[in-house]
Amino acid sequence: MTALGVVFRPQLPPERLRSIVRAADGAGLDELWLWEDCFLESGIATSSAALAWSERLHVGVGLLPVPLRNVALTAMEVATLHRLFPGRVTVGIGHGVQDWMAQVGARVESPLTLLHEYATALRALLRGERVSTDGRYVRLDDVALDWPPLGPVPVLAGAVGPRSLVLTGEVGDGTVIDARVTPDGLRDALALVGEGRRRAGRTGEWPVVVYVLAATGPGARERVAAEAASSGHSVDGLGAAGDADEVAAVVRGLAEAGATTVVLQPTADEPDPEGFVRFAAERVRPLVPR
């Protein structure tokens, strides 16, 4: 099954979130994804509001930057969301943008070590375990949640580089990949994830969330190309632009390459974010096999 989502980009002001959520819920969008980008908006605060404002919408947070957040706090917040809105939220963690982490004094010498320690501790806390650990970065002394989730809670991990992709397969419960991949690039990335899973003896289903830069309407191709180039991610075949058939074809290509959720990432200059959500739910979704 392939789920289809849309990102509420935090370049939009927080007060705009409610109308996006209403549009997504009303149009039947599968998933709405949120970012915790410095220094824009909180991923947890926005996800809580989005869940409360909707009846059925699944909300994803991808990604929470681990250098910015104490692991016990993240465990408390994720557990609270799952108790309040069971089965309707997915949370991913990642290294964070290193320049931003440096700005707040949180950059670490070894992001890989931090993510490994953090994911291991977070998953244990969310399983209701009592955790003591004295790692290089993560230190907990007899910590357990009083209100752990009532069921299993997957923790997805995001990555770009090869070693980080391998790590997501070792310590995560799924992988989040940003919008710089084509279907061939996704296959290469998932081969690395698979290497990590084999190292850790991980088997079974593996959620793969992939963002894709997307636009429709006048100037769609030019907007996608301009944003990709400005981000330094200009690659042949990158992004999805055009009408519903053209966007759906890109979504299907990513699904065939291994994505279980494809999240359309509107350009920063998207003139009608609510309309884009309805376009995804009402026109693209019917063209993508479930």
Side-chain angles (χ1 to χ4, degrees):
M1 173 180 175
T2 304
L4 184 67
V6 171
V7 179
F8 172 82
R9 294 184 59 146
Q11 287 81 6
L12 292 172
E15 58 269 25
R16 191 72 179 271
L17 177 61
R18 184 167 187 158
S19 66
I20 301 291
V21 169
R22 295 291 193 188
D25 210 35
L29 184 70
D30 296 340
E31 301 184 3
L32 183 70
W33 280 75
L34 303 161
W35 294 344
E36 186 163 90
D37 276 2
C38 296
F39 300 93
L40 296 166
E41 292 160 13
S42 159
I44 297 297
T46 52
S47 62
S48 183
L51 289 159
W53 286 330
S54 61
E55 298 296 329
R56 44 145 300 278
L57 186 64
H58 191 96
V59 173
V61 184
L63 300 164
L64 297 177
V66 300
L68 195 63
R69 315 176 120 264
N70 183 280
V71 68
L73 175 63
T74 298
M76 291 163 55
E77 291 181 324
V78 172
T80 300
L81 286 176
H82 277 272
R83 297 283 293 234
L84 290 172
F85 308 101
R88 290 182 55 207
V89 59
T90 299
V91 175
I93 59 175
H95 296 308
V97 176
Q98 296 305 294
D99 287 347
W100 291 341
M101 298 303 101
Q103 280 184 270
V104 298
R107 186 168 184 167
V108 299
E109 186 177 354
S110 177
L112 285 166
T113 300
L114 171 57
L115 188 60
H116 190 291
E117 293 178 355
Y118 197 103
T120 301
L122 179 59
R123 293 173 66 228
L125 289 168
L126 293 174
R127 290 194 297 265
E129 298 176 13
R130 186 168 296 276
V131 181
S132 293
T133 184
D134 186 21
R136 181 175 178 182
Y137 300 111
V138 176
R139 299 179 181 90
L140 298 173
D141 181 11
D142 197 34
V143 175
L145 297 176
D146 285 336
W147 297 105
L150 296 175
V153 173
V155 175
L156 277 58
V160 175
R163 291 195 299 161
S164 295
L165 285 164
V166 172
L167 182 61
T168 70
E170 291 185 56
V171 301
D173 298 303
T175 301
V176 180
I177 298 177
D178 75 4
R180 68 187 75 184
V181 296
T182 62
D184 286 342
L186 177 58
R187 291 184 182 92
D188 292 341
L190 293 183
L192 293 167
V193 174
E195 180 182 332
R197 295 185 68 198
R198 287 189 294 275
R199 287 183 188 178
R202 314 290 296 280
T203 59
E205 295 183 358
W206 193 259
V208 177
V209 179
V210 180
Y211 292 102
V212 58
L213 190 62
T216 190
R221 287 175 178 78
E222 291 77 11
R223 288 193 288 124
V224 166
E227 181 151 328
S230 69
S231 302
H233 303 152
S234 187
V235 178
D236 288 343
L238 193 68
D243 61 19
D245 286 327
E246 291 168 301
V247 173
V250 174
V251 173
R252 290 194 299 268
L254 291 167
E256 290 165 4
T260 59
T261 297
V262 177
V263 184
L264 302 182
Q265 177 180 319
T267 58
D269 61 355
E270 169 57 51
D272 182 8
E274 291 85 357
F276 185 83
V277 164
R278 289 188 286 268
F279 164 77
E282 297 171 355
R283 298 178 59 189
V284 178
R285 169 75 271 183
L287 303 176
V288 178
R290 291 185 180 274

